[in-house]
Amino acid sequence: MQNHDIYMRRCLDLASLGAGSVSPNPMVGAVIVHDQQVIGEGWHERYGQAHAEVNAINQVLTSYNSQAEELLRNSTLYVSLEPCSHHGKTPPCVDLIIKHQIPHVVIGCRDSFDKVNGQGIKRLTDAGVRVTEGVLEKEARHLNRRFFTQISKKRPYIILKWAQTADGYFAPVDAQQKWISSKQSKLLVHRWRSEEDAILVGKNTALIDNPQLNTRLWKGKNPKRIVMDRNLELPPNLHLFDKSVETIVLNEKKTDIQANLKYISLESFDFYLAESVSFQLFLLDIQSVIIEGGAKTIDLFIKSGLWDEARVFTSDTIWGEGLAAPRINAGPTESLRIGSDQLSIYYRP
């Protein structure tokens, strides 16, 4: 592994610390190296606050005082995503890099956002900064797959999640709640929720399971809750309507806002429903969504080809009968053991 790869790997590790806190911005990590020694590092910690490059440079300025400027003039800045060149919530990072005369910048991948997309690199090279790009590019793009999907496809990154028995059943035939996966799997699901913008379920799941759809088992932010209820038939005493978390009810009857409870009317539930839901979430600036059920809702997105990732827990339980679990006609990319469950992760090509 070359040195570039080592330091870029560190950038990616740092960037991942921003999961769940920086959307709709991308996750970014930065490392500053002088004579093969890391002298500063940082990541984008929260939306609207300082970017990774700013935090890394500020760490050098704080740690080395009067030596800092000389060190920066003879250092290499590694950053997982092309530095921004426009004024947004914060000033352009390229201005700070140029100001401190950092001579070499190594970039994981370009930022395809229209206001950046090569402009950051051009600003740097025009100022005499040497730029190396494409280091661990595949890994850098995968880390920000939610960000790139929102930009390129005008919809959120869609994650399907379900649990199934060893013999392939999703739920009992009698429409009662029956837990399938292990306690360890449940804890992991709550962590996942904290990392995504929203979580979506269908009407039947909301009615039968009465889920809270929050992160009570994991320290982290709660995702926005979304439920599809065409005719507004769900009773108001469900956990979803307690207004503790922003909740969006997609329906065909009305558009209304009641504090943290929002009703949004879609044009039709009969035609292109998955596409309509996806575009509505894009308009709400939701960068990623976990679809947790039920089977009919998950199948809707599978059949429409509107999914990016599927996370499937298979328990060692055998029911013998039940509602069949959704099926994906592909092999898993990753497979690992979580408690007594087998977790299979699929990525749509």
Side-chain angles (χ1 to χ4, degrees), residues 129-146:
V129 178
R130 181 161 64 97
V131 175
T132 302
E133 58 177 307
V135 176
L136 298 185
E137 181 174 8
K138 182 179 179 181
E139 293 88 339
R141 290 193 63 83
H142 180 74
L143 176 71
N144 275 312
R145 56 196 183 278
R146 299 160 181 80

Side-chain angles (χ1 to χ4, degrees), residues 125-333:
T125 55
D126 286 350
V129 178
R130 181 161 64 97
V131 175
T132 302
E133 58 177 307
V135 176
L136 298 185
E137 181 174 8
K138 182 179 179 181
E139 293 88 339
R141 290 193 63 83
H142 180 74
L143 176 71
N144 275 312
R145 56 196 183 278
R146 299 160 181 80
F147 174 73
F148 290 122
T149 296
Q150 185 185 40
I151 290 174
S152 64
K153 298 184 178 181
K154 301 296 185 289
R155 64 166 176 80
Y157 186 84
I158 298 173
I159 301 167
L160 310 178
K161 192 281 293 181
W162 73 87
Q164 60 189 26
T165 63
D167 50 350
Y169 294 113
F170 179 90
V173 291
D174 56 5
Q176 292 189 13
Q177 185 179 24
K178 193 173 182 181
W179 196 259
I180 296 176
S181 53
S182 66
K183 291 181 179 179
Q184 294 90 335
S185 297
K186 187 175 182 179
L187 183 64
L188 179 59
V189 167
H190 282 240
R191 173 187 167 182
W192 287 345
R193 289 176 179 177
S194 74
E195 296 173 345
E196 311 302 338
D197 283 356
I199 180 170
L200 182 149
V201 296
K203 182 191 75 174
N204 289 338
T205 296
L207 190 61
I208 295 169
D209 294 346
N210 191 18
Q212 297 181 57
L213 302 184
N214 58 21
T215 57
R216 61 195 179 277
L217 300 181
W218 187 266
K219 185 179 179 180
K221 72 169 183 60
N222 289 311
K224 295 179 181 179
R225 305 182 296 199
I226 303 167
V227 60
M228 296 167 58
D229 182 14
R230 179 175 187 167
N231 295 311
L232 298 179
E233 297 171 318
L234 291 172
N237 62 334
L238 295 179
H239 292 311
L240 285 175
F241 302 128
D242 63 11
K243 298 183 181 179
S244 63
V245 179
E246 182 177 346
T247 301
I248 299 165
V249 184
L250 300 177
N251 67 92
E252 240 181 22
K253 299 294 184 180
K254 70 175 182 179
T255 295
D256 188 26
I257 298 177
Q258 301 173 11
N260 252 3
L261 183 58
K262 300 178 180 179
Y263 295 87
I264 296 179
S265 176
L266 302 180
E267 186 173 347
S268 172
F269 269 60
D270 292 320
F271 304 101
Y272 303 107
L273 179 56
E275 290 83 353
S276 180
V277 169
S278 299
F279 186 62
Q280 183 61 59
L281 299 189
F282 170 76
L283 294 177
L284 293 170
D285 209 13
I286 291 173
Q287 191 183 82
S288 61
V289 59
I290 301 177
I291 298 177
E292 287 205 4
K296 183 178 178 181
T297 301
I298 291 172
D299 275 332
L300 171 70
F301 284 84
I302 291 176
K303 291 176 181 177
S304 299
L306 283 172
W307 65 279
D308 300 287
E309 187 175 333
R311 302 170 181 177
V312 183
F313 293 101
T314 302
S315 75
D316 53 9
T317 305
I318 295 177
W319 284 359
E321 64 175 0
L323 299 178
R327 293 183 62 86
I328 291 177
N329 295 321
T333 305

